[in-house]
């Protein structure tokens, strides 16, 4: 019996080693132009910044902890701006120690210096014509400061522009950083002088959303200018601001419960039969049937009347490939070389009917290819969702198969549509807590998006609390969506410095080791990556030991500071997880890592280690990982009893074979 168990275990081990050696070894061309170098940038001296602010300049906001400035709101819009005005007040008070910066309306204000937000009666002579979308103007005149938005956008967008200006003023002029949902970095500066200002800041993408648990907490989305975050509605917009219907929506417009019995021809012909459901999933509409257009138009008009503030309306396929196989749909495919052709015809008609709205659809699954000979109306919006995306090879260069596919989709659709929306993915769904060094690729990607008519970006992170480096990644992505020219290494460096304090150097080195390990080798990161795929690059045994050492030193460096200890512990969890799944048989090390891991994930409220599948954390801690430890113990015992040499020989043989194979392919 023991021999049989041993044989099974040996087979598993050999296969695991072989799979680990082969997985992630995909070669390719250029990955990215961006080099992540955090350590050399993680240097920030708050005293130096405070001294700079104390140097006499054009405008004195505060002197020796005293200020007579007030924050003035337009009476007619005070409720919409009050919360953010009060946030600015609190930032300025904490920064300077002053009890000034009272928030009042223009109807209450009579004399003195002020910061005017929006269209107050005192800002009538200040124009913000160069501001666009939800961008803003910050201008000083006579010692007063004005924050205004574009006069040519919708009222809600204009309010967003002023709010963006509030936080832009705090960050770009005063040196604050809104680095986390639960922590703002605010430098101490009792005396604050600033130069006269006349600056416009516009976003590189009109609609921006960082879909991450932390971004939704404590109003952080506003402070990082993630303007796509909104409230959920009963027509399925899933909390995406400015949207009516969101995605996979065609049956919301031609509901099979209403129409299928009397008009089955509205729905997909599959295997010779009209169906609204196939193999347990919804089918699609027959987009070549002209009778469905008036139904869709009427339903859209109904939705718009109910939600007039929504700008974007989605009519897109259900989440499957159950498309119509009828003769007319076949002719459409032959005509356009794409199954999206007939759908785009419908969207173009809707766009003409509703010229003040964006009519949107998904380029996804069987509609992913741009149709030949079609140009989208100016208010048609195409949502490109490259689910096979690479996390190391940018779409800008298409250096491997996944990034090349994304590059082609974007360029092809850009040639026929002036409004592209990228549904981007920035997470490892399979291992939310695994170290995941994908910062470099995003910089190249957003530059490429900007060059190709992309107006909106949805960065999908994790909906679960405590995803690996969730706050840092969200902050950096948000900054890049506003300004694609941002220096990512400098941004991360300052972030690390102000967030981790005395531990910054250790965290910076931790990040640099990871990014250096994946920058040059023929290794890939994908959305369902496993630790074993990286046993000989950034998750090698040697590197994992370095991560554990660095995060331990980081914890020691901030000992006594509860907040910073918590921030470092979040990264420590990732290093421990890497150790727990390290290739090798260091049982004692894995057990020790697991014990510390259990304590920290409970402390930090982490509920799931994976997003795409069970278990919840309690089951992972009580059952899933302990079973892995049991198998390791059993294997070690069997090796000791009678098979260590065989196992080692087989493993060494496989490793030798793979190394030779790699040398040949390289």
């Amino acid at each position: 019996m023991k021999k049989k168990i041993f044989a099974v275990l040996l087979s598993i081990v050999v296969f695991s080693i072989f799979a680990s050696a082969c997985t992630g070894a995909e070669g390719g061309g250029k990955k990215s132009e961006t080099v992540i170098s955090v350590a050399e940038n993680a240097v920030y001296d708050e005293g130096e910044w405070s001294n700079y602010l104390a140097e006499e300049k054009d405008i004195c906001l505060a002197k020796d902890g005293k200020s007579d400035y007030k924050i003035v709101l337009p009476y007619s819009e005070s409720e919409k701006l009050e919360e953010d005005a009060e946030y600015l007040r609190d930032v300025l008070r904490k920064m300077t120690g002053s009890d000034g910066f009272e928030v009042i309306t223009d109807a209450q204000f009579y004399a003195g210096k002020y910061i005017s937000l929006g269209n107050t009666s005192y800002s009538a002579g200040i124009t913000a014509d160069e501001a666009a979308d939800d961008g803003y103007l910050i201008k000083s005149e006579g010692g007063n400061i004005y924050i205004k938005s574009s006069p040519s956008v919708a009222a809600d967008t204009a309010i967003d522009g002023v709010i963006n200006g509030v936080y832009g003023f705090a960050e770009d002029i005063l040196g604050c950083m809104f680095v986390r949902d639960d922590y703002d970095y605010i430098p101490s500066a009792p005396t604050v002088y600033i130069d006269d200002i006349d600056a416009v800041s516009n976003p590189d993408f009109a609609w921006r959303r960082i879909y991450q648990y932390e971004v939704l907490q404590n109003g952080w989305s506003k402070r990082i200018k993630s303007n796509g975050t909104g409230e959920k509605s009963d027509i399925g917009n899933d909390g995406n601001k400015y949207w009516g219907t969101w995605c996979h929506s065609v049956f919301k417009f031609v509901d099979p419960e209403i129409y299928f019995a009397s008009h089955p021809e509205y729905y997909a012909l599959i295997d010779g039969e009209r169906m609204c459901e196939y193999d347990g999933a919804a089918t699609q509409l027959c987009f070549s049937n002209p009778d469905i257009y008036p139904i869709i138009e009427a339903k859209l008009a109904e939705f718009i009347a109910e939600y007039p503030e929504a700008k974007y309306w989605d009519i897109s396929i259900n989440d499957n490939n159950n498309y119509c196989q009828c003769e007319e749909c076949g002719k459409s495919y032959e005509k356009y070389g794409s199954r999206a052709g007939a759908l785009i015809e419908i969207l173009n008609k809707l766009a003409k009917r509703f010229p003040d709205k964006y009519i949107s659809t998904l380029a996804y699954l069987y509609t992913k290819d741009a149709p030949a000979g079609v140009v989208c109306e100016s208010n048609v919006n195409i949502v490109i969702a490259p689910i096979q995306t690479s996390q190391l090879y940018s779409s800008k260069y298409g250096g491997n198969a996944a990034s090349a596919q994304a590059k082609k989709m974007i360029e092809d659709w850009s040639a026929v549509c002036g409004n592209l929306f990228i549904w981007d993915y920035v997470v490892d769904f399979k291992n939310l807590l695994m170290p995941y060094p994908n910062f470099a690729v995003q910089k190249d990607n957003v530059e490429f998006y900007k060059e190709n008519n992309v107006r909106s970006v949805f960065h999908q992170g994790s909906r679960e609390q405590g995803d690996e480096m969730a706050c840092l990644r969200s902050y950096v992505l948000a900054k890049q969506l506003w300004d694609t020219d941002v220096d990512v290494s400098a941004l991360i460096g300052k972030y690390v410095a102000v967030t981790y304090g005395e531990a910054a150097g250790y965290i910076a080195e931790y990040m640099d080791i990871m990014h250096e390990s994946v920058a040059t080798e023929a290794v890939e990161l994908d959305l369902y990556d496993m630790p074993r795929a990286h046993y000989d690059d950034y998750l090698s045994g040697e590197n994992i030991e370095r991560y554990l050492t660095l995060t331990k030193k980081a914890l020691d460096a901030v000992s006594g500071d509860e907040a910073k200890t918590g921030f470092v512990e979040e990264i420590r969890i990732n290093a421990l997880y890497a150790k727990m799944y390290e290739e090798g048989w260091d049982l004692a090390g894995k057990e020790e890592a697991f014990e510390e891991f259990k304590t920290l994930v409970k402390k930090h409220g982490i509920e799931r280690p994976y997003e795409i599948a069970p278990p919840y954390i309690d089951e992972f801690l009580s059952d899933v990982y302990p079973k892995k430890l049991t198998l390791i113990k059993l294997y070690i015992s069997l090796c000791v009893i009678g098979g260590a040499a065989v196992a080692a020989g087989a493993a060494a043989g496989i490793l030798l074979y793979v190394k030779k194979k790699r040398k040949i392919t390289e």
Side-chain angles (χ1 to χ4, degrees), residues 143-154:
N144 300 311
I145 297 168
Y146 302 88
I147 300 176
K148 298 190 74 172
S149 56
S150 170
S152 59
V153 296

Side-chain angles (χ1 to χ4, degrees), residues 9 21 63 72 76 102 109 123 127 141 193 220 272 296 357 430 497 504 506 544 563 587 659:
L9 286 172
K63 184 150 180 86
V72 182
S76 61
E102 179 186 2
F109 182 75
S123 71
T127 59
E141 191 172 279
Y193 283 96
W220 191 35
I296 294 173
K357 304 296 181 184
K430 197 98 172 174
Y506 302 115
I544 289 172
L587 179 61
K659 285 179 179 177

Side-chain angles (χ1 to χ4, degrees), residues 253-469:
F253 291 89
V254 187
D255 189 339
E257 291 189 7
I258 298 174
Y259 295 103
F260 184 73
S262 57
H263 291 283
E265 70 275 13
Y266 294 171
Y267 302 89
L269 181 72
I270 300 175
D271 297 336
E273 183 180 350
R274 295 285 177 177
M275 302 182 187
C276 62
E277 184 177 314
Y278 176 76
D279 197 22
T283 64
Q284 309 293 344
L285 295 180
C286 175
F287 290 117
S288 65
N289 188 327
D291 294 336
I292 66 170
Y293 175 79
I295 297 171
I296 294 173
E297 181 188 296
K299 191 64 178 178
L300 180 55
E302 179 185 323
F303 282 150
I304 290 173
E306 188 175 359
Y307 299 95
E309 71 284 354
K311 299 177 184 177
Y312 298 88
W313 290 92
D314 171 87
I315 299 98
S316 63
I317 64 170
N318 291 318
D319 196 4
N320 58 64
N321 279 310
N322 296 333
Y323 56 82
C324 184
Q325 301 168 4
C326 77
E327 183 178 352
E328 291 305 312
C329 284
K331 290 179 180 178
S332 173
Y333 177 69
E334 290 178 6
K335 176 181 178 181
Y336 295 115
S338 167
R339 298 195 183 278
L343 176 57
I344 298 301
E345 286 182 356
I346 292 172
L347 263 64
N348 275 341
K349 291 175 69 174
L350 291 170
K352 292 176 182 177
R353 171 66 177 81
F354 303 100
D356 60 333
K357 304 296 181 184
Y358 286 100
I359 311 301
S360 182
T361 197
L362 285 170
Y364 176 70
L365 296 178
Y366 75 93
T367 61
K368 69 181 179 62
D369 297 324
V374 171
V375 175
C376 296
E377 291 293 318
S378 61
N379 57 320
V380 166
N381 181 73
I382 302 296
V383 179
I384 298 175
I387 188 67
Q388 294 82 16
T389 185
S390 169
Q391 295 296 301
L392 288 181
Y393 291 84
S394 73
S395 300
K396 188 174 186 176
Y397 300 109
N400 70 352
S403 62
Q405 177 176 302
K407 176 180 174 66
K408 185 178 187 307
M409 285 179 67
I410 293 166
E411 289 178 337
D412 287 352
W413 279 105
S414 177
V416 301
C417 182
N419 297 294
L420 299 188
F421 177 124
I422 298 295
W423 188 314
D424 202 7
Y425 302 88
V426 295
V427 64
D428 182 351
F429 291 114
K430 197 98 172 174
N431 290 277
L432 297 177
L433 303 177
M434 183 179 89
Y436 199 60
N438 67 338
F439 283 87
V441 73
Q442 304 305 332
K443 176 69 161 60
D444 284 359
N445 279 350
V446 294
E447 290 174 352
F448 179 67
Y449 299 159
K450 183 182 175 183
E451 294 166 1
N452 283 276
N453 295 337
V454 174
R455 295 278 293 150
S456 306
V457 179
F458 178 92
H459 279 308
Q460 182 169 348
S462 173
R463 66 189 178 199
E464 311 297 339
Q465 181 175 353
D467 177 24
E468 186 259 2
M469 287 196 170

Side-chain angles (χ1 to χ4, degrees), residues 86 122 459 512 523:
E86 290 176 348
Y122 297 93
H459 279 308
D512 282 347
V523 59

Side-chain angles (χ1 to χ4, degrees), residues 14 61 170 230 257 283 293 319 380 487 553 556 586 595 609 616:
V14 170
L61 280 179
E257 291 189 7
T283 64
Y293 175 79
D319 196 4
V380 166
D487 183 330
K553 288 181 177 180
D556 292 341
D586 178 13
E595 289 305 311
Y616 285 95

Side-chain angles (χ1 to χ4, degrees), residues 416-582:
V416 301
C417 182
N419 297 294
L420 299 188
F421 177 124
I422 298 295
W423 188 314
D424 202 7
Y425 302 88
V426 295
V427 64
D428 182 351
F429 291 114
K430 197 98 172 174
N431 290 277
L432 297 177
L433 303 177
M434 183 179 89
Y436 199 60
N438 67 338
F439 283 87
V441 73
Q442 304 305 332
K443 176 69 161 60
D444 284 359
N445 279 350
V446 294
E447 290 174 352
F448 179 67
Y449 299 159
K450 183 182 175 183
E451 294 166 1
N452 283 276
N453 295 337
V454 174
R455 295 278 293 150
S456 306
V457 179
F458 178 92
H459 279 308
Q460 182 169 348
S462 173
R463 66 189 178 199
E464 311 297 339
Q465 181 175 353
D467 177 24
E468 186 259 2
M469 287 196 170
C471 290
L472 172 54
R473 184 172 283 104
S474 296
Y475 185 85
V476 172
L477 290 172
K479 284 290 187 181
Q480 290 178 160
L481 291 185
W482 188 271
D483 178 10
T484 59
D485 292 331
V486 68
D487 183 330
V488 176
S489 289
L491 180 65
I492 296 175
K494 186 178 179 184
Y495 181 106
V496 168
V498 305
T499 304
Y500 300 103
E502 295 300 317
Y506 302 115
I507 301 303
E509 185 177 352
Y510 168 92
M511 294 188 69
D512 282 347
I513 291 169
M514 286 196 294
H515 285 90
E516 288 167 8
S517 297
V518 299
T520 56
E521 294 192 29
V523 59
E524 172 66 303
L525 281 177
D526 64 37
L527 305 180
Y528 307 96
D529 228 323
M530 301 297 289
R532 65 174 176 266
H534 302 285
Y535 87 99
D536 62 350
D537 48 79
Y538 82 99
L539 293 183
S540 67
E542 178 185 0
N543 278 344
I544 289 172
E545 290 306 315
R546 294 168 77 185
Y547 303 153
L548 291 171
T549 298
L550 287 167
T551 53
K552 179 63 171 66
K553 288 181 177 180
L555 285 171
D556 292 341
V558 295
S559 177
D561 187 321
E562 184 178 354
K564 286 184 170 53
T565 294
F567 302 159
V568 174
E569 284 175 344
E570 292 171 351
I571 297 179
R572 177 74 173 173
I573 287 170
N574 309 141
L576 293 169
Y577 188 85
K579 178 64 180 178
M580 288 159 53
Y581 282 95
E582 175 190 31

